[in-house]
Amino acid sequence: MAGGLEPGLAALRRELGGPAVFSVLLALLAVAVTFLIWRFVQGRRSSRKAVLLLGLCDAGKTLLFARLLSGRYRDTQTSITDSSATYRPSRDKSTNVTLIDLPGHESLRLQFLERFKAAARAIVFVVDSVAFQREVKDVAEFLYQVLVDGTVLKNAPALLIACNKQDITMAKSAKLIQQQLEKELNTLRVTRSAAPTTLDSSGGPAQLGKKGKDFDFSQLPMKVEFVECSARGSKGEEGDADLEGLEKWLVKVA
């Protein structure tokens, strides 16, 4: 087949005025194709404008949501539905995302994730740093369900683990939370590998991390970061929240 193309390519070179012009045109064609592919990928990404707030009940998602939007403290209660609003993470008014607070109750969280996951540009997974030691298995279970979801694996939204309630003395550090989560997720992967129930986009069983290696977050297709934060703030209801790390991350992903 290559031999059959040679006469045609040689004739095209002659028509175009020689090999130099032909090479330039091929280079321009390659640039044009690359640009079209880039525009396609960017178009798909720009269609995903949502930043999802996920986590267990009482992790502080709704207060984080309120603080990011208004800066003010407010009393919250367990959510039974989603709340959404446009959020501008920087002074550039043309840059915005849709911040969506999803319920954390065990009977609701997966159905709401199913509804919004395809639109997610980024995910903020909120952890109660004070209750973490006793909730670690439940936190890891929910996070595992998010990470092996076929749509999440395919779209690979940026993921932030927000270690909330750092204003309280007994709060665990982000480093310890990361280490414990990696350990628990590795255990879940091993125990569930025999009977996977979640499928990836190709129709096969979803694989968390790299086979044959202990799990760590660097093995995931999306970039994962950890920050310490406090929606309540060190001065309580009258003070400001400590969300600097979260806000900087939102600027990056917007």
Side-chain angles (χ1 to χ4, degrees):
M1 184 174 179
L5 288 174
E6 282 300 322
L9 289 173
L12 184 59
R13 289 190 192 98
R14 289 194 297 272
E15 288 290 327
L16 293 173
V21 175
F22 182 74
S23 298
V24 170
L25 287 174
L26 280 180
L28 290 174
L29 179 61
V31 170
V33 171
T34 302
F35 177 73
L36 289 173
I37 293 172
W38 178 82
R39 284 292 300 271
F40 175 74
V41 172
Q42 288 297 109
R44 289 191 61 186
R45 182 178 182 274
S46 63
S47 68
R48 300 198 304 271
K49 296 282 288 183
V51 175
L52 308 184
L53 294 179
L54 307 179
L56 304 188
C57 286
D58 300 322
K61 299 185 305 300
T62 303
L63 182 54
L64 272 176
F65 178 78
R67 285 287 208 178
L68 286 169
L69 293 173
S70 69
R72 294 190 294 272
Y73 178 91
R74 79 174 195 197
D75 291 324
T76 61
Q77 56 188 13
T78 301
S79 303
I80 59 172
T81 189
D82 60 282
S83 298
S84 63
T86 299
Y87 173 71
R88 291 180 173 81
S90 68
R91 293 180 180 179
D92 180 3
K93 293 186 178 180
S94 65
T95 303
N96 64 76
V97 294
T98 302
L99 202 62
I100 308 178
D101 174 29
L102 302 185
H105 193 279
E106 186 178 3
S107 64
L108 297 172
R109 58 196 183 210
L110 289 182
Q111 81 179 59
F112 278 91
L113 175 63
E114 183 69 24
R115 184 182 304 177
F116 292 105
K117 64 186 181 183
R121 171 174 295 192
I123 294 173
V124 178
F125 193 96
V126 185
V127 174
D128 183 336
S129 303
V130 179
F132 177 74
Q133 208 64 53
R134 69 172 183 271
E135 292 182 345
V136 59
K137 292 186 183 299
D138 292 332
V139 172
E141 169 77 25
F142 184 22
L143 186 56
Y144 178 89
Q145 291 171 318
V146 174
L147 294 177
V148 298
D149 181 272
T151 300
V152 174
L153 284 171
K154 179 181 177 182
N155 292 341
L159 174 63
L160 182 75
I161 311 295
C163 305
N164 192 26
K165 304 187 182 181
Q166 290 291 320
D167 56 295
I168 300 175
T169 305
M170 300 299 291
K172 305 303 180 186
S173 69
K175 184 176 181 180
L176 184 145
I177 288 171
Q178 178 176 350
Q179 292 171 344
Q180 289 295 313
L181 280 178
E182 287 176 338
K183 181 179 178 181
E184 288 295 330
L185 288 168
N186 189 64
T187 300
L188 280 170
R189 180 180 65 171
V190 171
T191 56
R192 296 193 178 191
S193 60
T197 57
T198 306
L199 300 182
D200 65 15
S201 57
S202 64
Q207 173 67 41
L208 184 68
K210 294 182 179 179
K211 191 173 181 179
K213 292 187 176 182
D214 288 343
F215 173 79
D216 66 68
F217 285 102
S218 68
Q219 298 167 4
L220 294 173
M222 70 283 288
K223 185 174 182 180
V224 184
E225 297 181 54
F226 284 71
V227 298
E228 296 180 354
C229 61
S230 172
R232 184 178 175 87
S234 59
K235 295 183 180 179
E237 299 177 16
E238 301 303 320
D240 294 329
D242 179 9
L243 303 180
E244 183 179 0
L246 172 57
E247 290 171 332
K248 286 182 178 179
W249 182 83
L250 287 168
V251 170
K252 286 195 300 182
V253 302

